[in-house]
Amino acid sequence: MNNIIAYFESIDPVWAAFLATLFTWGLTATGASLVFFFKRMNRALFDGMLGFTGGVMVAASFWSLLAPGIEMSEGEGFQKVIPAVVGFGLGAFFIFGLDKVLPHLHVNFKMADKEGVKTPWHRSVLLTLAITMHNIPEGLAIGVLFGGAAMGLEGASIGGAVALAMGIGLQNFPEGFAVAMPLRGQGLSRWKSFNYGQLSAIVEPVAAVLGAWAVMTFEPILPYALCFAAGAMIFVVVEEVIPESQQERYTDIATMGFIGGFMVMMTLDVGLG
């Protein structure tokens, strides 16, 4: 692990953010590849993995984003928390706006429950867009943290950025599975189901590169950018991930999955950050 961190410290931070999110995209594709081996999904396992995803995102929002964002902010008392409050609120409102405009369908919901502007797009596209929407803040968070660490700012470290990428990658595995398996169950071919599943994370490298470039170009925005990503991820967890995991009778499994995901991400961030 030390060799991996040393490697990322030795290369350009924008390139590092791109490589890290190629890893997270690769785990999404790996999760989607399960469609070649199974036609139906075990709902208890599925809800548990959704819960795990939520736990990772909530833990990452605090340990990797909010806490460093507050730590590197100037001032004392209420003044010190202003960038976190502003950034967090803007991130949540950004995803709120996307949620109202972008056509999408949450994984465990029926077509009648699709959100965003009206469109004739097929269920497969809508499911992919739902996952894509919350991959944007994930990629942005990784890029912003790599950029901040490269600038030598207090509270940001390459180890923390690597830990965040690992945590996001782990929860991307069930995300690929979450898109591909329902589509396969509805009759799409294995290849089409796989392609839709892995495409949901292709936005992460783009968001990561933009995030790293932005904070290196406009250094004062870093605390705001970190908390922006946190607000966006928390909105996704509350509005999407948790409700999806609570649709069936496996709510306890989903809840324990959430606890497990939180513990894994917390351990990664403290251990590597």
Side-chain angles (χ1 to χ4, degrees), residues 22-215:
L22 281 185
F23 165 76
T24 62
W25 166 80
L27 282 181
T28 305
T30 303
S33 71
L34 293 178
V35 76
F36 292 108
F37 306 99
F38 306 98
K39 186 172 182 178
R40 293 181 178 84
M41 59 185 177
N42 182 294
R43 186 56 189 264
L45 175 62
F46 182 73
D47 286 346
M49 289 196 299
L50 278 178
F52 181 88
T53 293
V56 168
M57 293 177 74
V58 169
S61 295
F62 176 75
W63 296 98
S64 300
L65 302 171
L66 280 172
I70 293 171
E71 184 178 345
M72 67 182 61
S73 298
E74 299 179 354
E76 298 293 336
F78 287 113
Q79 183 181 0
K80 190 173 182 64
V81 81
I82 287 175
V85 172
V86 173
F88 189 86
L90 288 175
F93 276 111
F94 172 71
I95 299 298
F96 173 80
L98 278 183
D99 187 66
K100 297 302 179 185
V101 175
L102 185 70
H104 64 283
L105 177 68
H106 298 314
V107 174
N108 286 332
F109 288 72
K110 299 177 181 179
M111 278 296 286
D113 299 319
K114 63 184 179 182
E115 301 178 15
V117 298
K118 293 183 179 180
T119 175
W121 293 347
H122 292 294
R123 181 182 180 90
S124 55
V125 176
L126 296 175
L127 285 170
T128 304
L129 288 175
I131 300 296
T132 300
M133 186 167 62
H134 70 73
N135 281 330
I136 295 173
E138 292 170 4
L140 179 65
I142 293 171
V144 165
L145 205 52
F146 269 109
M151 300 297 291
L153 298 177
E154 185 179 1
S157 69
I158 294 296
V162 170
L164 179 60
M166 291 178 63
I168 295 298
L170 286 174
Q171 61 95 33
N172 273 6
F173 180 87
E175 284 183 359
F177 178 84
V179 176
M181 292 304 294
L183 296 179
R184 177 58 181 158
Q186 293 166 23
L188 267 69
S189 71
R190 287 185 169 89
W191 272 110
K192 282 188 176 181
S193 300
F194 168 75
N195 282 329
Y196 279 118
Q198 60 87 22
L199 278 174
S200 64
I202 202 67
V203 71
E204 287 190 0
V206 177
V209 167
L210 289 175
W213 172 83
V215 298

Side-chain angles (χ1 to χ4, degrees), residues 194-258:
F194 168 75
N195 282 329
Y196 279 118
Q198 60 87 22
L199 278 174
S200 64
I202 202 67
V203 71
E204 287 190 0
V206 177
V209 167
L210 289 175
W213 172 83
V215 298
M216 293 180 66
T217 305
F218 309 103
E219 181 180 329
I221 73 168
L222 180 57
Y224 296 90
L226 286 170
C227 298
F228 179 96
M233 287 207 288
I234 292 295
F235 183 94
V236 167
V237 172
V238 176
E239 197 274 338
E240 178 181 341
V241 177
I242 291 177
E244 287 178 9
S245 71
Q246 302 292 310
Q247 291 295 304
E248 295 289 342
R249 63 183 185 275
Y250 302 110
T251 56
D252 287 344
I253 294 176
T255 301
M256 294 309 298
F258 182 98

